[in-house]
Amino acid sequence: MTTRRLPKSATGLLATFGLASLALAGCAGGGGDATPSVTGEPTSYESVEELRDAYVAAGGECPNWEELDPGDYDAVAGRCSDQVVISVYNDPSQIEGVVQSALDLAIPAHLLVGENWIINTPNPEDFVDALGGGVVTG
């Protein structure tokens, strides 16, 4: 069972993951609420490249960067691999709905969610200290 808590400033940031959930349907879901279980400092990033570079500096691997079409979301996104999708939202109000959509899928979600961004990665808890945000799994 996963305990979920949201930092006060993170309540509206959960929409960031919608794009990542669509791009990596294999890494999402199962239903549940979108409250982070591990939280760091609230952070935002100016660009998806800045977030990707911070992810790599924090020990993440990004061997094959590929930009992704954000679909209906006001975001810029890309993937490092089949398991890692990074997105930065121009409209952070979309984050909550995006994360909830990921949690509603029939497969597990592993997200690190910030003020205007989401990283879908198998091990989000490994990046909280370096990147901030909150871990949302379900």
Side-chain angles (χ1 to χ4, degrees):
M1 215 170 266
T2 303
T3 303
R4 298 182 172 143
R5 293 175 283 112
L6 263 181
K8 290 178 185 176
S9 61
T11 304
L13 60 86
L14 297 176
T16 301
F17 182 69
L19 174 62
S21 67
L22 297 175
L24 290 180
C27 293
D33 70 48
T35 307
S37 60
V38 178
T39 58
E41 293 295 317
T43 57
S44 63
Y45 288 87
E46 293 295 317
S47 70
V48 72
E49 293 83 8
E50 178 187 17
L51 179 55
R52 177 201 60 207
D53 293 348
Y55 172 76
V56 170
E61 294 184 20
C62 193
N64 299 307
W65 181 250
E66 176 186 353
E67 290 188 26
L68 297 173
D69 180 351
D72 293 336
Y73 298 102
D74 187 8
V76 179
R79 81 171 124 219
C80 292
S81 67
D82 288 341
Q83 295 184 334
V84 178
V85 173
I86 299 173
S87 53
V88 172
Y89 287 76
N90 298 314
D91 181 1
S93 69
Q94 296 178 330
I95 293 174
E96 186 174 350
V98 170
V99 171
Q100 193 59 55
S101 293
L103 294 174
D104 289 344
L105 295 175
I107 48 182
H110 305 283
L111 312 173
L112 183 57
V113 182
E115 291 289 323
N116 68 332
W117 56 272
I118 294 173
I119 298 177
N120 183 348
T121 181
N123 55 338
E125 61 282 343
D126 294 350
F127 301 98
V128 171
D129 289 340
L131 303 178
V135 173
V136 178
T137 58

